[in-house]
Amino acid sequence: MDNIILSLILVTPLAGALLVLLLPDRGKLPAWIALLTALATFAFTLHLPAHFDYAHPQFQFVQNIPWIASPAIRYHVAVDGLSLWLVVLTGLLAPIGVLASWKTIQTRSKVFYSLFLVQQTAMLGVFVSLDLMLYYGFWELSLVPMAILIAMYGRGITENGGPKAALRFFLYTFIPSAPLLVAILWLYAKTHTFDFQFLQSSIYYGKLPAEALCWASVAFLIAFAVKVPVLGLHGWLPDTFSEAPVAMGMVVAGKLGLYSLIRFHVGLFPVQARQAAPWLIALAAVGVLYGALLALVQKDFWKLLAYGTLSSLSFCTLGIYGFTLTGLDGSVFQTLNEGIIGAALFVLFGILYDRFGTSQIPTFGGLAQRTPMLVTLFVISSLAMIGLPMLNGFIGEFLVLSSTFTGVSRSWAAAATLGVILSAAYMLTLVQKIFYGPPSSAVTTNPTPNSLLDLNMREKLVLYSLATLMLVMGLCPNLFLSAIESETREAIGWANLRPFVAPDCIHHNCKMSISVTSSGGQK
């Protein structure tokens, strides 16, 4: 099973998408097929942490098969501590996305669920690919279903509308991929391989020209930074959050870009990544404040969530480019947090939008008495996003902030800490305006019975599952950090050791043993 598990994880959503297309579009049949497919995929992903060898961290469940002879493209897939939980998270969000779309997707459901499952395959492929051309194929594939679904199923509540928001998203994320492809092809021309591990070794030992490597690293960085997004490259985010269906909105930002920054930017170009680090740290710290301040003044809760996400993801960038072990651990953990908390908030906002047909915060008020379960789950998710101790958001933010304060810059750490305070301000203000205070006319005149306004069983299943994960990750973070740290320790080791490798060692390709301290220093 270990030898084929990753192929099963990749093929299952594709098979489900094909089945959805072949069967008639009758009632809930496409939704049921998509749900069963997503549950099967999630079950396969659980095989990975259950059989992962935590004592010997390395790439595991490897499949490395020749695919195309010239150029030499291989079907090379594997997972390690960095990608393990991201694969499981992607598997978890798939059935949640289907359940969140159960009532909202009423027309052309075959197209929606088939594209949704293709999107799952693309995302999973990004996390497991170790051949750069295979990775690039999955990376590009992930853009197409997302853009189509935003165009076809957008809510149409922004001035740009669904098609325009989809076009903006596609152009923002597709255009930077062209230099990425050129950089990948240049690496192949110099080394005659797309294999990540071989390329990493070649770059590490100085076998490629440094000036050209600088330009290649910039191409990789921009492509990934747009997808995160990093401050200044986030122009697609607000309209995409406003228009994207709930199932797609919960996966559009963060995970793919942050994983790629760690694996393929820091992992392949440690020297160049260190040179770019001061600029990226500054952008991240300012991004935390910028996103929080804009979220504080929003009147539309989709845009509030978009800018709040920008602020939260900036913490991840700050942790990555601080080049400390603790910060990188916190960054990966925060990426998982963002996936879970963001999914819960998207579902909750989707419920409010479906019940009342608006996302304007001033039209709400006094909902707490009519929707006690909804307000309970909303408060838990909001507190997790703020970073309340005992919930998962606290762990990631604490690790990043503490490592930034002790190992990077106290000034930037103070700026990011102010962003945490502002996040509490905009999330608690949102809770107060929607659920407490005087009831608005839209709420008091709504004829829907309280029992139908509050959560139904399907929504409870989704939100209770996510809330339980928030608590488990907050109380038992080492369940996840034990695997994460095995890879981050190696990433920090490559980045920290490279400038100190002796010329003789480079010449003879010596292998040096290193250990890394919690603050990122080396022994």
Side-chain angles (χ1 to χ4, degrees), residues 204 270-271 274 492-503 506 522:
Y204 181 81
V271 176
R274 269 197 169 278
I492 290 297
W494 281 80
N496 283 346
L497 181 63
R498 178 65 182 90
F500 303 102
V501 176
I506 296 177
Q522 63 187 48

Side-chain angles (χ1 to χ4, degrees), residues 95-410:
I96 289 175
V98 174
L99 290 173
S101 308
W102 202 263
K103 292 293 186 181
T104 56
I105 303 301
Q106 300 291 345
T107 60
R108 297 176 293 186
S109 57
K110 281 179 61 171
V111 176
F112 178 87
Y113 288 112
S114 60
L115 288 174
F116 175 79
L117 292 173
V118 171
Q119 174 76 12
Q120 294 303 308
T121 292
M123 293 182 63
L124 291 164
V126 166
F127 293 134
V128 303
S129 297
L130 291 182
D131 181 283
L132 257 64
M133 190 53 68
L134 181 67
Y135 163 85
Y136 182 80
F138 283 121
W139 175 266
E140 289 294 275
L141 179 61
S142 68
L143 307 180
V144 178
M146 180 70 71
I148 295 174
L149 289 175
I150 294 172
M152 292 180 63
Y153 300 92
R155 284 178 285 269
I157 58 176
T158 69
E159 60 183 11
N160 292 317
K164 290 185 178 180
L167 181 61
R168 173 178 289 191
F169 165 78
F170 185 79
L171 292 178
Y172 256 92
T173 52
F174 178 74
I175 291 175
S177 296
L180 173 64
L181 178 60
V182 172
I184 291 173
L185 293 176
W186 177 80
L187 290 173
Y188 177 81
K190 293 295 183 180
T191 61
H192 306 292
T193 182
F194 291 111
D195 185 78
F196 167 75
Q197 292 172 296
F198 186 90
L199 289 170
Q200 188 180 47
S201 178
S202 298
I203 294 171
Y204 181 81
Y205 289 116
K207 296 180 179 179
L208 296 176
E211 184 176 352
L213 275 179
C214 180
W215 289 108
S217 71
V218 169
F220 274 67
L221 174 61
I222 293 176
F224 304 150
V226 169
K227 193 70 172 176
V228 173
V230 172
L231 179 66
L233 301 173
H234 66 283
W236 58 270
L237 190 64
D239 286 341
T240 300
F241 268 45
S242 297
E243 292 294 334
V246 169
M248 308 308 293
M250 64 177 64
V251 300
V252 70
K255 294 177 287 297
L256 297 182
L258 291 167
Y259 165 82
S260 299
L261 282 175
I262 299 171
R263 173 75 76 210
F264 297 107
H265 187 237
V266 174
L268 277 180
F269 309 101
V271 176
Q272 291 75 19
R274 269 197 169 278
Q275 293 170 347
W279 298 99
L280 290 165
I281 289 171
L283 284 174
V286 175
V288 172
L289 286 173
Y290 176 83
L293 287 170
L294 282 183
L296 193 60
V297 299
Q298 295 303 312
K299 296 183 179 180
D300 182 290
F301 57 57
W302 294 117
K303 292 192 175 182
L304 181 147
L305 182 56
Y307 289 114
T309 299
L310 172 64
S311 181
S312 296
L313 293 175
S314 295
F315 273 103
C316 301
T317 308
L318 184 62
I320 293 171
Y321 288 95
F323 284 98
T324 66
L325 181 61
T326 303
L328 198 51
D329 286 346
S331 176
V332 179
F333 197 85
Q334 187 70 0
T335 303
L336 299 176
N337 293 341
E338 185 58 36
I340 294 168
I341 299 170
L345 289 174
F346 256 102
V347 172
L348 288 163
F349 285 148
I351 291 170
L352 289 173
Y353 185 79
D354 290 341
R355 302 287 200 272
F356 295 94
T358 180
S359 57
Q360 294 299 306
I361 299 171
T363 61
F364 293 92
L367 267 180
Q369 291 185 346
R370 300 191 67 182
T371 58
M373 297 307 301
L374 178 61
V375 67
T376 300
L377 273 300
F378 201 103
V379 169
I380 292 173
S381 302
S382 299
L383 293 176
M385 186 171 183
I386 291 169
L388 184 74
M390 295 183 64
L391 293 174
N392 58 342
F394 172 76
I395 303 298
E397 289 182 356
F398 175 78
L399 292 175
V400 171
L401 288 174
S402 61
S403 65
T404 304
F405 186 83
T406 58
V408 181
S409 167
R410 294 185 178 183

